[in-house]
Amino acid sequence: MLEFVFLLPIVMGGAAFFLPVSLGRGILIVAALLHLQLTVMGWLGKLDPYFPDYFSSSPEGLLVLLVTSFIFLFISIYAISYMNETEMQSEHIFISCMLLFLGTMSMVTLADHPIVLWIAIEATTLVSAPLIFINRSKEALEATWKYVLICSVGIALALLGCFFITLAMDIKEIDAPLTFSSLNAVAGQLDPIWLKAGFIFIMIGFGTKMGLAPMHTWLPDAHSQAPSPASALLSGALLNCAFLGIYKVHVLMHVAGLGAYSSNILIGFGLVSMFVAGIFILNQPDYKRLLAYSSVENMGVIAIGVGIGGIALYGAILHLIHHSLIKSSLFLSAGNILLGFGSRLVKKTGNLARLFPKTFVAFFAGFAGVSGFPPFGIFISELLIIMGAFQRGRFVVLAGFIFCLTLVFAGAARIVMRISFANAGEDVLVEERMLRIIPSYVLLLTSIGLFLWMPETIFEVIIDTIKVLGGSVNG
């Protein structure tokens, strides 16, 4: 049963809340392994939905699900060592919410009903909020309230967008199930005015959760205050789930003949997100907030690639995969830096290359990867988006895209160099541990591996994801 993919972590997360912490840690790893196994079975077509009116295995959903499950496994391995070092309060709550978070995100990827998708995305907010507040500081409380309030307002607007889409069907008296699959089949008959209104509200609502500017304001605070394993999940998995909601509605718009309308909106939000991120990265005093603004920028990159279409759309989906791998690794490396120096402030760090050489390799390689240098996959994804913009004559968009990439790189490079090589004291709070090093290395090596060789099954799923929008590897 396909629903086991999200029911398993939800049930095990509920159990972990009541069990001793020592058992909870084991449950976290076991659940991650079982979830990855179920995900692979879903990829192989061995799991059928028990409720086909609500859930299905769409190509884009399976892709996001696989990325989520894969990074969760290595984030969980890291989290075990991280919890030992920090002596975290309420560890049973942390483990439970991590698993519930995995379950709700998995539900998002499999939802075929707009309202079920909305419920699942709202549920991700509720179960991830305790992860941000887990340290119980004043700053964590503020970040948690900001996260819940802003995302809830955004999700409420997305719900209104879902209602408008149903109105687009009801006004034309179309008798069809309320699923994305059925809506795509009758898209040409839907009322275009209500569809356009629905997309605007979906874009703002789910765009808030995706971290697109100017609705991004919760993201830097939440990422900076959450423990590093939770930050890695927020950036590497949650933002993709919100994007999935926008993507499904964009597909509906395209099939209905309104693709140019939704594409221009995506490009507009993407450029604004990249520019805002670039401005705030300049002279950023907090390296975890730096990574958060980098996520805002990369969500903008994905939005632009999807909006341009063609070969840029293929680049956008590649970007989604590689950003999740590299950014998750960077947040785990940032967790090691925080444990070692005891501060998120850039000025209180330095000489990472000598004091923490293994973390330095992962952190600096992650910076190179997220900046678009080979042999990491973001190099090819951004190159494809640039090529797509050029092919389609989007020269203004292309100029803005390249300018924002340069702005972000210039701001981030100065900070990363400061952390890596600037003079610092010899005192460190903790030593490097392999369980906190290996996950970052594996995630980075996976990005390199996918850059050098793309497995046929993954390539076919990406093609199935983009072909409905006319995307291809040939432009």
Side-chain angles (χ1 to χ4, degrees):
M1 188 170 75
L2 187 64
E3 289 80 0
F4 281 145
V5 175
F6 62 82
L7 289 175
L8 172 81
I10 290 175
V11 171
M12 297 186 80
F17 182 83
F18 299 100
L19 294 174
V21 168
S22 57
L23 285 177
R25 293 182 178 184
I27 287 176
L28 181 64
I29 300 299
V30 169
L33 289 168
L34 291 176
H35 186 269
L36 185 57
Q37 181 182 5
L38 287 172
T39 298
V40 172
M41 291 174 65
W43 264 69
L44 298 176
K46 295 184 178 181
L47 298 175
D48 295 319
Y50 189 77
F51 300 100
D53 291 338
Y54 302 101
F55 302 100
S56 69
S57 52
S58 64
E60 64 273 14
L62 286 176
L63 193 64
V64 174
L65 177 64
L66 180 63
V67 171
T68 301
S69 185
F70 183 80
I71 67 172
F72 185 87
L73 173 61
F74 293 98
I75 291 171
S76 299
I77 294 171
Y78 176 93
I80 300 300
S81 178
Y82 184 87
M83 287 184 284
N84 284 333
E85 297 285 1
T86 57
E87 299 181 355
M88 183 183 295
Q89 301 179 28
S90 306
E91 193 175 312
H92 65 294
I93 296 177
F94 178 79
I95 294 171
S96 177
C97 287
M98 287 279 284
L99 290 170
L100 293 174
F101 196 21
L102 174 64
T104 52
M105 288 190 294
S106 301
M107 184 186 293
V108 172
T109 65
L110 299 176
D112 192 36
H113 194 290
I115 304 303
V116 173
L117 176 72
W118 178 87
I119 291 171
I121 292 179
E122 173 66 359
T124 62
T125 304
L126 300 178
V127 300
S128 58
L131 296 175
I132 302 171
F133 183 61
I134 201 74
N135 293 325
R136 301 186 182 182
S137 65
K138 179 181 177 181
E139 293 80 7
L141 177 60
E142 180 182 350
T144 304
W145 274 113
K146 200 171 183 179
Y147 172 62
V148 172
L149 181 62
I150 294 175
C151 287
S152 295
V153 171
I155 293 298
L157 294 176
L159 179 61
L160 190 58
C162 293
F163 289 156
F164 286 164
I165 291 173
T166 62
L167 276 174
M169 183 171 61
D170 292 341
I171 285 178
K172 296 292 186 176
E173 298 182 354
I174 299 171
D175 185 17
L178 186 59
T179 63
F180 286 108
S181 304
S182 299
L183 286 170
N184 288 338
V186 298
Q189 307 172 44
L190 300 176
D191 185 88
I193 295 177
W194 285 109
L195 266 185
K196 288 180 178 180
F199 182 79
I200 287 289
F201 280 90
I202 290 287
M203 188 72 212
I204 296 173
F206 289 152
T208 301
K209 199 67 176 284
M210 184 179 167
L212 293 175
M215 301 89 67
H216 69 289
T217 51
W218 65 270
L219 194 148
D221 293 317
H223 283 58
S224 66
Q225 294 300 320
S228 291
S231 297
L233 272 183
L234 286 168
S235 188
L238 176 63
L239 304 187
N240 294 344
C241 292
F243 162 74
L244 198 57
I246 295 173
Y247 187 82
K248 286 178 178 288
V249 180
H250 177 57
V251 169
L252 177 61
M253 295 289 287
H254 179 83
V255 178
L258 302 172
Y261 175 83
S262 54
S263 293
N264 288 332
I265 293 174
L266 280 163
I267 291 171
F269 275 107
L271 285 174
V272 170
S273 298
M274 292 184 70
F275 181 73
V276 168
I279 294 298
F280 279 94
I281 283 175
L282 292 173
N283 299 316
Q284 178 57 239
D286 184 326
Y287 54 83
K288 286 194 72 178
R289 290 176 71 91
L290 163 70
L291 297 180
Y293 280 114
S294 173
S295 294
V296 174
E297 178 237 350
N298 281 279
M299 291 302 105
V301 170
I302 293 171
I304 291 171
V306 173
I308 293 172
I311 197 171
L313 177 57
Y314 179 71
I317 302 303
L318 285 182
H319 199 91
L320 180 149
I321 297 170
H322 290 285
H323 172 256
S324 294
L325 295 169
I326 297 172
K327 187 56 64 62
S328 297
S329 172
L330 274 169
F331 269 112
L332 299 185
S333 297
N336 293 343
I337 297 171
L338 178 59
L339 290 174
F341 292 103
S343 175
R344 297 189 307 273
L345 297 178
V346 175
K347 67 181 181 181
K348 294 188 177 181
T349 65
N351 216 352
L352 184 69
R354 184 168 58 82
L355 297 175
F356 299 100
K358 300 182 182 67
T359 297
F360 161 74
V361 171
F363 186 69
F364 203 83
F367 162 69
V370 83
S371 299
F373 287 93
F376 296 95
I378 285 181
F379 168 75
I380 192 66
S381 67
E382 291 181 344
L383 181 61
L384 290 173
I385 293 172
I386 290 171
M387 291 171 58
F390 186 81
Q391 287 179 352
R392 303 220 163 182
R394 297 273 192 161
F395 300 117
V396 175
V397 175
L398 178 58
F401 183 79
I402 294 175
F403 171 77
C404 291
L405 287 180
T406 306
L407 183 66
V408 169
F409 174 73
R414 188 185 64 82
I415 296 171
V416 171
M417 296 298 284
R418 167 69 176 80
I419 295 172
S420 300
F421 303 112
N423 292 329
E426 298 296 320
D427 295 333
V428 294
L429 300 180
V430 298
E431 299 296 329
E432 291 183 307
R433 298 282 186 270
M434 290 310 295
L435 278 181
R436 288 189 283 106
I437 298 297
I438 292 174
S440 293
Y441 279 49
V442 172
L443 294 171
L444 292 172
L445 288 172
T446 302
S447 177
I448 295 174
L450 291 175
F451 171 80
L452 298 174
W453 175 71
M454 175 72 70
E456 188 66 24
T457 53
I458 296 179
F459 176 76
E460 289 176 355
V461 169
I462 294 176
I463 295 301
D464 289 340
T465 298
I466 66 176
K467 68 182 180 182
V468 69
L469 292 173
S472 73
V473 294
N474 300 315

